[in-house]
Amino acid sequence: MSPFLTVLLILLPLLGAMVIAFGNAKNAYRDALAFSLAALAPAVGMLVTFDSTRAAEFPGAGSWTWIGELGLKLSIGVDSIALLLIALSALLGPVCVMASRTAITENRRLYYAWLLVLQAAMVGVFASRDLLLFYICFEFTLLPMFVLIRMFGSTNRVAASTKFFLYTFTGSIIALAGLVYVVNFAAQLNGSWSLDIGVLTAAAGRMSAHEQALVLGALLAGFAVKVPLFPVHTWLPLAHTEAPTAGSVILAGVLLKLGTYGIYRFAIPMAPAAFTEYAPVIATLSIIGIIYAGLICWVQDDIKKLVAYSSVSHLGFCVLGLAALNATGLSGSVLYMLSHGFSTGGLFLMIGFMYERYHTRDMRQVGGLASRMPVWASFMVFFAMASVGLPGLNGFPSELLCLISAFQSDEVWTLRGEPGAAGVTLGPWYAAVAGVGMVIAAMYLLIMVGKICFGPYRQPEGHHHHDVLPDDLNAREIITLLPLAAGCLVFGFFPGLLLDAIHDPVNQTLDLVRAATDAMPQGVRP
């Protein structure tokens, strides 16, 4: 696999943003769709040419020296996990552009240009193999999303964008301090400066237990806000609710996964002994988020805020799988990162299409839409069932694996029988309490579907028919939804396709953690 394809995935959206920014406003939508579709082609090419036998080796990596004396390079490369997240980002690009066709009527050049810049930054995060490029792209995702919320959001968009920026920027700065400490430690250990992620990971495993604990705390401060993990989740519901539809789709589909990906790629390998020690604490925070957010969803009248809080609950399962620190948990977590983008992204699209027609998200004002919008209602029920975790759809295998991993975690590590092995002790009680969250999720999502789709037809007082859109979904909107619906079906019926692809990287990460914890002196705790 050539690194040229990865570079194209970053440069094509940036080129498209420049063309739109300096082009004709009337052509902004057309140009954005053309460049987002063009960026999808390299992603497909990477999937086709990816060498599955080298899934954990970052095949086709490329590196360009910037300042050699300081070890500054721009390095790219993808393993199977990064590739799948890049493919999801590339797929959501044209989906978001098409969904914005009638929703965005003013400042189109500004909107579509920043949307493409955001896509390039997200791909850069997953494709980075050196810390410099990773952090640049990681931080740069803040600016486009800030602009999208601030300029194109709903009535409370100023507060939402400010809270989003302050939370995520503060967390990122603290995470930077942890990463700088690792860079300095590696430089002293190796005698030369390097920002290569592989070099830093290998060196970080030799830090003392206390140093690992400090680094883990710093990294979690940044990545937990991105997830977001309880109790640093409060920015997300407001940002989701006020963001434009495409912003919510990108936020749920990819941006939240920057946090879980950061935990998987950096927090676990760079502080393995500390992560093992504090995994029960991380798992507990995840479960609190699952239950707490689920109960809040239960009493929501704003359908978009309900789906926003559901993301806090769902991502709690994702972090729970990471905290279990076994192959089942890491695989389930990665699977959840992908499947959540399809189902919750689809739900936000459905809410956006409804809002364009009725200009309300209040379930007390609108309902019984199946009688007027049967196609819309069919898709709504489908994506809700995928989010519930209905067997046969994508949410089921990922949630099941995360729960099983928590149940097995202590047993799996004990059965290894390796002398000096550190173990994660979650066990059945963690799984049981998290399972209650699944029941709560089923209840609030089914109640939502019942109110909004079925029963007597209700519409807001003074409602006027949309001048452009028909009562039900049009062809453009259906085409926008079909890729996400297809993903829910394919990954629901054939989760083995993804699990086989990520098998080697997951086991490589676990081997690294086991080696580091085994090397830690007995009786020493972070």
Side-chain angles (χ1 to χ4, degrees):
M1 183 177 65
S2 170
F4 176 71
L5 294 176
T6 312
V7 174
L8 273 182
L9 271 168
I10 300 174
L11 293 184
L12 279 175
L14 291 178
L15 177 61
M18 293 180 62
V19 170
I20 293 169
F22 297 102
N24 191 326
K26 295 181 179 179
N27 299 329
Y29 170 77
R30 182 199 65 189
D31 294 340
L33 183 59
F35 278 97
S36 61
L37 288 172
L40 187 58
V44 174
M46 291 171 68
L47 288 171
V48 172
T49 60
F50 189 79
D51 185 357
S52 59
T53 62
R54 301 174 57 202
E57 301 176 12
F58 297 90
S63 180
W64 299 269
T65 300
W66 182 27
I67 305 177
E69 292 78 3
L70 298 179
L72 298 183
K73 298 180 180 179
L74 298 179
S75 302
I76 58 172
V78 296
D79 62 358
S80 56
I81 294 174
L83 174 58
L84 290 170
L85 289 168
I86 286 173
L88 176 62
S89 305
L91 175 65
L92 290 180
V95 166
C96 289
V97 172
M98 293 181 66
S100 306
R101 177 68 178 87
T102 53
I104 304 300
T105 56
E106 298 179 357
N107 295 325
R108 287 187 167 187
R109 287 192 302 172
L110 180 69
Y111 176 84
Y112 289 115
W114 280 115
L115 195 62
L116 290 179
V117 170
L118 179 59
Q119 181 177 341
M122 292 186 301
V123 172
V125 169
F126 300 126
S128 302
R129 286 304 299 153
D130 76 275
L131 209 54
L132 177 65
L133 182 60
F134 168 82
Y135 196 78
I136 289 174
C137 294
F138 185 81
E139 280 293 89
F140 203 75
T141 58
L142 298 183
L143 184 57
M145 183 55 68
F146 175 82
V147 173
L148 291 177
I149 298 174
R150 185 91 167 196
M151 299 295 296
F152 302 95
S154 300
T155 54
N156 201 21
R157 59 183 181 269
V158 174
S161 59
T162 302
K163 195 171 186 179
F164 161 75
F165 189 88
L166 290 177
Y167 264 71
T168 52
F169 181 74
T170 302
S172 298
I173 292 299
I174 299 174
L176 177 62
L179 293 171
V180 169
Y181 187 92
V182 173
V183 172
N184 183 65
F185 179 86
Q188 293 180 356
L189 184 68
N190 299 327
S192 61
W193 290 95
S194 176
L195 295 182
D196 182 88
I197 293 175
V199 173
L200 297 177
T201 300
R206 300 177 64 179
M207 290 189 299
S208 69
H210 179 67
E211 288 174 312
Q212 287 194 30
L214 293 176
V215 169
L216 177 64
L219 295 182
L220 285 181
F223 297 137
V225 170
K226 280 282 191 182
V227 172
L229 189 66
F230 178 89
V232 289
H233 66 285
T234 55
W235 64 269
L236 178 65
L238 184 61
H240 259 318
T241 304
E242 301 302 321
T245 297
S248 295
V249 173
I250 287 291
L251 193 58
V254 183
L255 277 184
L256 302 187
K257 311 316 177 338
L258 299 186
T260 51
Y261 180 79
I263 294 174
Y264 169 81
R265 185 67 75 196
F266 294 95
I268 295 177
M270 289 186 174
F275 196 92
T276 300
E277 179 68 17
Y278 292 110
V281 177
I282 298 170
T284 299
L285 293 177
S286 302
I287 293 173
I288 292 174
I290 291 171
I291 303 296
Y292 166 78
L295 293 175
I296 290 180
C297 289
W298 207 344
V299 297
Q300 288 301 315
D301 293 315
D302 187 320
I303 186 173
K304 195 173 186 184
K305 186 173 288 187
L306 184 153
V307 177
Y309 271 109
S310 76
S311 290
V312 177
S313 182
H314 289 156
L315 270 296
F317 283 101
C318 191
V319 177
L320 179 63
L322 294 173
L325 271 183
N326 52 38
T328 304
L330 294 190
S331 299
S333 180
V334 173
L335 194 60
Y336 217 125
M337 294 183 208
L338 299 165
S339 65
H340 179 263
F342 287 99
S343 54
T344 304
L347 285 175
F348 278 119
L349 286 176
M350 303 309 301
I351 296 168
F353 295 154
M354 181 196 76
Y355 184 80
E356 283 190 68
R357 290 165 169 82
Y358 291 94
H359 304 290
T360 183
R361 301 184 299 262
D362 194 332
M363 291 186 286
R364 296 169 298 183
Q365 296 183 19
V366 63
L369 297 183
S371 61
R372 298 292 182 94
M373 304 171 66
V375 178
W376 179 91
S378 299
F379 275 106
M380 187 68 179
V381 171
F382 176 86
F383 287 119
M385 293 302 101
S387 188
V388 164
L390 184 72
L393 296 178
N394 60 320
F396 177 73
S398 51
E399 280 192 355
L400 184 63
L401 288 174
C402 290
L403 279 182
I404 291 175
S405 69
F407 186 89
Q408 294 178 331
S409 60
D410 56 339
E411 178 186 359
V412 169
W413 283 75
T414 302
L415 289 179
R416 288 195 301 113
E418 297 177 9
V424 176
T425 54
L426 301 186
W429 282 109
Y430 286 82
V433 178
V436 173
M438 294 180 65
V439 177
I440 295 174
M443 295 178 71
Y444 68 70
L445 285 169
L446 291 175
I447 291 171
M448 176 196 74
V449 168
K451 287 182 177 180
I452 207 75
C453 294
F454 304 110
Y457 174 73
R458 304 187 306 278
Q459 67 177 25
E461 293 185 10
H463 168 68
H464 298 287
H465 182 73
H466 197 284
D467 295 334
V468 177
L469 297 172
D471 286 340
D472 209 346
L473 299 182
N474 58 28
R476 171 185 58 84
E477 292 168 326
I478 293 174
I479 293 173
T480 302
L481 295 168
L482 285 177
L484 301 184
C488 292
L489 285 171
V490 171
F491 297 142
F493 278 103
F494 307 105
L497 293 174
L498 295 177
L499 295 176
D500 291 343
I502 65 178
H503 177 271
D504 289 346
V506 162
N507 281 280
Q508 184 184 66
T509 299
L510 287 175
D511 289 341
L512 187 152
V513 172
R514 289 165 182 163
T517 52
D518 287 347
M520 191 66 61
Q522 289 293 313
V524 176
R525 286 291 177 260

